[in-house]
Amino acid sequence: MAKAIEIEEPVTVTVATATSPSNLAAVPQLIKELAEGVGCLESGCNEARQALVTQARSLVQALETPRETMIKHCWAQPAVFAAILCGNECGLWKLMAKNGDKPQKVKELACALGVDPVLLSAMGYLLEVGEDEYKPTSFSLSLSLPIMNGGYPALITMGGPSFINLHEYERSRNWKNPTDAKDSPLMHAHKTDLNYFDLAASRGYLEDFNNHMGGYRQGRLPWMAPEFVPVQEVLIKGADQSPDAVFMVDVGGCLGHDLLEFHRYHPTVPGKLIVQDLPQVVGSIIPSEENKALTPMAHNFFEEQPIKGARAYYLHSVLHDWPDDRAEVIVGRIKAAMRPGYSKLLINENVIPRTDAYWETSALDLVMLSQLSAQERTERDWRDLVEGRCGLAIVKIWSGGRGVESLIEYLFPIRANPVDYKLFQIAGYNQILLT
């Protein structure tokens, strides 16, 4: 199969380009912006911190030579992944965290773990205090948490081959955007007909994936916070007050992380909170005082939704796992269970802006493409999928700011006469189209 473009003219770029700073002219202005940004950190504003991180990365990129960037990509980053994964597997991060914030000798750590000392590599993520002696950092301490370390086997061990071999997959398919859930780059790389989730389960990485789902959202404003979405007005007001009513169904909700957080913010909502996922997932939820407010339910979201007429059906990072044809089936199953004019569909996902997309979102878009033949979506994509293909109406897109997933509120509109529609307009649902 031929490459997408054949370059016939000779390339005029010289080695000097690869060994000179990438953008030395930009350095003075970047340093000035960094200095100005430091003062904003005192406010505790997360957006100010994010802006400073972006500027710091830009400064490093401007100072680095292309040759140094290449070496970082080809040597350092793969080596970091290898070191972190080995540290996970042998228990290094948990042992160092248990030992506390003190200098720790490599030989003593290796002896306690039963590993060859030469295998313990710092790679810059531990603080060197002497020869073969290190102190943990906040990063290495965080790696002792399952919600932090789970992403490495779930996405690097499982997903790494998909990234590395993506060019081969694309070359063999004439450089077409993958949209077939049964023919993903991951399946091509692993030489399997299992999708990501089935493969993760077969290889023992499903728990790591579930932990990662609980971890990647940490440190960001949750949608149920009062300053994000006014839950009282949007959901609680007008909800069925019967104790047997279902208030919210978290479809594909993993271990119930989101519903637990919702309950912490709104402990007195009327009705039940139900978390649905595959049997092997909800079956691993251990009953506790914390999660007693949840009702686990085994359910495949491609099948008929058993809970009818709930106030809200909630999907967090579900539809981005699937191309449009499969996502349409998932939404269709929920729509069939919704009570017109009452039930709402809440989609908690990224809404990619037209320009200046945040780096986390852009990276995740490529993760979805390479692992699942899926994608992150723009507002137009969401309207085409859920409004155009599924017939639900967007009430509002609630944005949590840069790097935070939005909450898209959909309503199943009722068949109404003009008087009813006027009441909808007065209530604020002036974007709703009559069916």
Side-chain angles (χ1 to χ4, degrees):
M1 190 68 67
K3 293 184 178 180
I5 299 176
E6 293 292 343
I7 306 296
E8 296 181 358
E9 296 297 323
V11 177
T12 58
V13 178
T14 67
V15 174
T17 301
T19 56
S20 302
S22 293
N23 191 3
L24 206 56
V27 170
Q29 181 62 28
L30 287 168
I31 291 176
K32 179 182 177 182
E33 292 173 358
L34 271 171
E36 292 172 350
V38 170
C40 299
L41 291 178
E42 296 179 359
S43 66
C45 174
N46 193 49
E47 290 187 4
R49 183 195 61 79
Q50 287 179 332
L52 204 60
V53 170
T54 299
Q55 290 165 342
R57 288 199 179 105
S58 296
L59 178 59
V60 170
Q61 290 168 353
L63 286 170
E64 269 185 349
T65 68
R67 178 259 176 203
E68 290 168 339
T69 302
M70 178 273 292
I71 292 296
K72 178 176 66 179
H73 291 161
C74 295
W75 296 5
Q77 289 181 346
V80 165
F81 296 149
I84 289 174
L85 284 160
C86 286
N88 278 359
E89 189 72 15
C90 73
L92 174 63
W93 313 123
K94 290 183 178 180
L95 176 60
M96 293 194 75
K98 181 181 178 182
N99 289 342
D101 186 21
K102 64 179 183 180
Q104 302 178 38
K105 294 184 179 297
V106 169
K107 286 186 178 180
E108 293 174 358
L109 291 169
C111 181
L113 296 169
V115 302
D116 193 324
V118 76
L119 292 178
L120 300 186
S121 172
M123 287 302 302
Y125 290 103
L126 295 169
L127 183 62
E128 187 175 24
V129 295
E131 185 177 353
D132 292 333
E133 189 173 16
Y134 299 89
K135 284 185 65 176
T137 61
S138 59
F139 176 71
S140 68
L141 289 171
S142 297
L143 286 176
S144 67
L145 302 173
I147 60 172
M148 281 292 292
N149 63 45
Y152 291 89
L155 292 179
I156 303 303
T157 303
M158 284 285 300
S162 310
F163 293 123
I164 295 168
N165 294 287
L166 180 60
H167 65 289
E168 293 185 355
Y169 170 91
E170 288 295 340
R171 186 177 62 215
S172 68
R173 287 154 178 79
N174 289 313
W175 303 92
K176 302 296 183 182
N177 184 51
T179 58
D180 185 351
K182 296 182 179 180
D183 180 30
S184 69
L186 175 132
M187 294 174 175
H188 175 79
H190 285 279
K191 296 179 173 56
T192 180
D193 58 358
L194 299 177
N195 67 23
Y196 174 89
F197 303 103
D198 292 337
L199 185 63
S202 71
R203 296 186 58 182
Y205 291 125
L206 194 58
E207 183 178 358
D208 294 304
F209 174 81
N210 291 337
N211 285 329
H212 179 62
M213 289 297 96
Y216 86 94
R217 50 187 282 280
Q218 298 298 315
R220 301 189 298 181
L221 187 69
W223 67 267
M224 66 283 298
E227 59 268 44
F228 195 149
V229 175
V231 171
Q232 179 65 40
E233 292 297 317
V234 172
L235 294 174
I236 298 177
K237 184 179 179 181
D240 190 338
Q241 300 294 311
S242 168
D244 294 328
V246 175
F247 182 80
M248 187 178 294
V249 183
D250 187 352
V251 183
C254 199
L255 303 179
H257 306 105
D258 286 28
L259 278 188
L260 287 173
E261 190 159 29
F262 181 86
H263 187 258
R264 285 193 288 270
Y265 274 93
H266 306 282
T268 60
V269 294
K272 300 176 182 177
L273 301 174
I274 296 178
V275 57
Q276 296 178 335
D277 215 305
L278 296 175
Q280 62 267 35
V281 178
V282 294
S284 64
I285 297 176
I286 301 173
S288 67
E289 185 66 24
E290 180 187 26
N291 62 30
K292 68 179 182 180
L294 307 187
T295 301
M297 176 182 291
H299 173 61
N300 183 330
F301 46 52
F302 287 114
E303 299 174 357
E304 179 183 354
Q305 172 57 245
I307 304 299
K308 313 295 184 183
R311 177 57 165 163
Y313 296 88
Y314 172 66
L315 292 168
H316 184 192
S317 298
V318 170
L319 298 182
H320 78 159
D321 289 338
W322 302 94
D324 282 353
D325 60 335
R326 302 302 289 156
E328 183 180 355
V329 174
I330 296 170
V331 175
R333 295 299 192 185
I334 294 174
K335 179 184 175 182
M338 294 171 71
R339 188 199 309 176
Y342 172 78
S343 298
K344 298 188 178 189
L345 171 62
L346 306 176
I347 295 178
N348 188 198
E349 292 212 24
N350 289 303
V351 178
I352 302 177
R354 291 178 179 269
T355 61
D356 195 27
Y358 190 56
W359 68 270
E360 285 189 21
T361 309
S362 299
L364 187 58
D365 188 35
L366 190 57
V367 170
M368 294 300 104
L369 180 150
S370 62
Q371 311 305 303
L372 297 154
S373 294
Q375 66 182 93
E376 299 302 303
R377 293 179 169 91
T378 64
E379 180 177 342
R380 178 177 294 178
D381 292 331
W382 285 117
R383 290 189 181 276
D384 289 346
L385 173 62
V386 187
E387 286 192 329
R389 298 175 68 148
C390 301
L392 299 178
I394 289 182
V395 177
K396 185 167 182 176
I397 298 177
W398 305 86
S399 176
R402 194 168 176 81
V404 179
E405 294 153 324
S406 298
L407 188 79
I408 314 172
E409 177 189 355
Y410 291 88
L411 187 72
F412 187 179
I414 60 174
R415 293 186 179 276
N417 59 43
V419 174
D420 293 329
Y421 184 47
K422 185 65 177 177
L423 292 175
F424 264 42
Q425 289 179 312
I426 293 172
Y429 300 122
N430 51 6
Q431 293 187 58
I432 293 179
L433 304 176
L434 298 181
T435 57

